[in-house]
Amino acid sequence: MSQPLLEVRKATKVYGGGLFRTGPTTVALQDLNLTILERPATITTIAGESGSGKTTLANIVLGFTKPTSGEILYRGADVAAMNKQQLMAYRKEVQAVFQDPYAVYNPFYRVKHIFDMVIKNFKMASNKREARELIEDALNVVGMRGEEVLEKYPHQLSGGQRQRMMVARAYMLKPRLIVADEPVSMVDASLRAMILDIMLRLRDEHNISFLYITHDLSTAYQIGDQIYLLYQGSTAERGETVQVIENPKHPYVQMLIDSIPVPDPEVRWGSSDVTTLDDEQMRTTVQSGCRFYGRCSYRMDRCLEAAPPLYPINTSSHEAACYLYDVEHAPEKVTA
Ligand code: SF4
C-alpha cells in the first residue's frame, strides 16, 4: 500500500482564551484526522459552511498558523520539528492557490515578477534562458503563453488569467500537493470548468494531489476523489465523494444535499442558507456532545453526553460521526 504523503493527526485549533486561557474560546478545528496517500495522486475535498474550519485546516497545512494540539506529518516527518532544509523542501512541495488571486499580486510589478521571485527563492535556474524555459513550461500547462501575459500588470489580466497564472506558479515548483482554497469561487462558469480541468490534468498527468477547500458540493462532485464534510471544526462525514454525495448519512450532510433546489448544473450545492439555529450560539452553548444537536431532527439524549466518533457505514472509507450509525446501540436509522 502507498505511504501517506500528508497526515493530519488530531489537529485542534482553539482561538481566544486570553493570556491565562480563562476567557471565552472558539474551537475552529477539533481532533481532525486526514490522510492523503503518496500514490495515486488524488483530489481530497474539504467542504462545509463558513465557520466549519476548512480554511483553518488549509492554513495549518500551509504553516500559516500552528495547531493548538495535534500534528501535521509530511512523508512521516512532523512539520513542527523539521529542520531548515526539510522545511524548505516542504514549502516547495506543498503549494497554495487562493480564492482571490489579485490579492497575491503586487500591483506595481509586472506579473513576471511572481515567477522570478519563486525561481530566485528556490534557486531553480542558473541563467535567464533556463528561467524563461521554466516559466514557459508552467504557463503552457495552464494553456497560456509568456508573450501574452508576462509583461502585463496584474490589473491588465482577467480574473481567470490571474488564477491560471497562480496555478502555473504553483506547478513550476513541481509540488506534490496543492492546497486550493476556493480557487473557482470568484470566476465565471466557463473559467470554472477550465480551472477544474487543469486540476484534473495536474492530478492525472503530473501526479499532483490537491486539498480542495470549498463550500460548493457540485464542483467537489465533479472532480473530487475523497471528501471530508466538516461541521463546526469536526468531520461530520467522510468517504469517496460519489458515495457520500449520492448516499449521505449524517443528518447535517443530508440537510446540505437536500437543500439543492433544482437539478440544474448551474445551481451550486451548499450555496443556499440552510441554517436553522444561530450557529454561533450553538458553538458556545453545546460544549459537550454532538455539535449538530440543536439543528438535528434525530437528536437523542445520548447525543449530548459526548461528541460522536466516526462510525463506519458499509465500506471502510465511508464514515459518519453520528450515533445513528453505532451498530452496537443502534436506534432506528435515517434514510437519505
Ligand atoms: Fe443528530 Fe445525534 Fe447524530 Fe448528532 S449524533 S447528528 S444530534 S442523531
Side-chain angles (χ1 to χ4, degrees):
M1 189 175 153
S2 175
Q3 296 297 310
L5 178 70
L6 182 86
E7 277 180 278
V8 177
R9 286 194 189 159
K10 290 179 83 67
T12 296
K13 181 71 186 178
V14 180
Y15 291 104
L19 191 58
F20 301 106
R21 304 211 173 270
T22 50
T25 56
T26 300
V27 181
L29 209 59
Q30 177 120 45
D31 290 332
L32 195 115
N33 292 309
L34 174 146
T35 302
I36 295 175
L37 295 177
E38 275 268 4
R39 282 181 186 275
T42 50
I43 296 176
T44 300
T45 304
I46 309 296
E49 297 165 296
S50 62
S52 62
K54 54 191 193 305
T55 293
T56 301
L57 175 65
N59 288 339
I60 285 176
V61 170
L62 289 167
F64 297 158
T65 184
K66 285 192 165 67
T68 309
S69 61
E71 291 176 318
I72 310 297
L73 304 184
Y74 184 70
R75 291 187 161 140
D78 182 354
V79 175
M82 280 180 175
N83 62 32
K84 212 173 158 190
Q85 201 180 4
Q86 286 174 309
L87 214 49
M88 189 76 165
Y90 179 71
R91 291 205 178 118
K92 186 167 183 283
E93 291 183 19
V94 179
Q95 286 296 306
V97 172
F98 298 106
Q99 177 181 29
D100 177 10
Y102 197 69
V104 179
Y105 292 90
N106 184 328
F108 300 111
Y109 287 104
R110 295 178 199 276
V111 293
K112 184 172 175 290
H113 183 70
I114 61 159
F115 292 94
D116 290 341
M117 289 303 290
V118 168
I119 289 171
K120 187 173 154 219
N121 289 344
F122 289 96
K123 301 182 177 57
M124 294 172 68
S126 51
N127 57 51
K128 280 191 173 177
R129 188 180 54 79
E130 256 181 56
R132 183 66 189 222
E133 277 172 13
L134 281 172
I135 298 171
E136 284 294 344
D137 178 46
L139 286 173
N140 288 346
V141 167
V142 299
M144 299 173 93
R145 291 193 0 245
E147 64 195 47
E148 292 167 357
V149 287
L150 289 174
E151 295 303 325
K152 293 192 171 163
Y153 288 94
H155 71 271
Q156 294 175 304
L157 300 180
S158 68
Q161 282 176 315
R162 283 194 291 263
Q163 193 57 296
R164 281 152 71 200
M165 287 188 68
M166 291 319 296
V167 177
R169 174 182 172 274
Y171 167 80
M172 194 168 70
L173 285 153
K174 302 289 181 286
R176 292 302 324 283
L177 178 69
I178 293 179
V179 179
D181 191 355
E182 302 275 13
V184 293
S185 62
M186 290 177 70
V187 296
D188 65 30
S190 66
L191 282 166
R192 187 160 66 233
M194 182 188 284
I195 290 168
L196 295 176
D197 185 57
I198 291 169
M199 288 170 67
L200 287 173
R201 279 197 292 111
L202 291 180
R203 179 195 67 181
D204 298 338
E205 296 168 20
H206 300 275
N207 196 36
I208 297 173
S209 288
F210 283 84
L211 194 59
Y212 173 46
I213 314 290
T214 186
H215 67 281
D216 175 7
L217 292 180
S218 63
T219 56
Y221 186 69
Q222 276 174 269
I223 65 164
D225 297 298
Q226 292 85 36
I227 190 164
Y228 288 65
L229 282 131
L230 304 194
Y231 183 73
Q232 290 198 2
S234 298
T235 303
E237 186 162 350
R238 68 180 180 192
E240 286 177 24
T241 307
V242 173
Q243 266 185 23
V244 171
I245 289 182
E246 290 186 355
N247 193 14
K249 295 297 182 187
H250 193 286
Y252 166 63
V253 180
Q254 291 180 345
M255 190 178 83
L256 267 188
I257 289 169
D258 284 349
S259 71
I260 307 157
V262 282
D264 178 346
E266 286 304 303
V267 175
R268 290 195 271 162
W269 294 353
S271 56
S272 59
D273 183 6
V274 294
T275 303
T276 52
L277 290 180
D278 183 338
D279 259 8
E280 238 1 90
Q281 195 189 356
M282 287 305 305
R283 193 185 275 274
T284 48
T285 52
V286 180
Q287 293 292 1
S288 65
C290 177
R291 288 181 167 268
F292 192 60
Y293 183 88
R295 296 167 71 180
C296 184
S297 338
Y298 303 94
R299 63 189 174 216
M300 306 165 272
D301 290 346
R302 181 186 181 195
C303 306
L304 276 179
E305 286 166 14
L310 284 160
Y311 291 104
I313 311 297
N314 342 337
T315 65
S316 59
S317 66
H318 190 178
E319 297 177 314
C322 172
Y323 288 122
L324 294 167
Y325 303 98
D326 175 4
V327 285
E328 288 190 11
H329 309 89
E332 207 173 309
K333 295 215 170 143
V334 197
T335 46

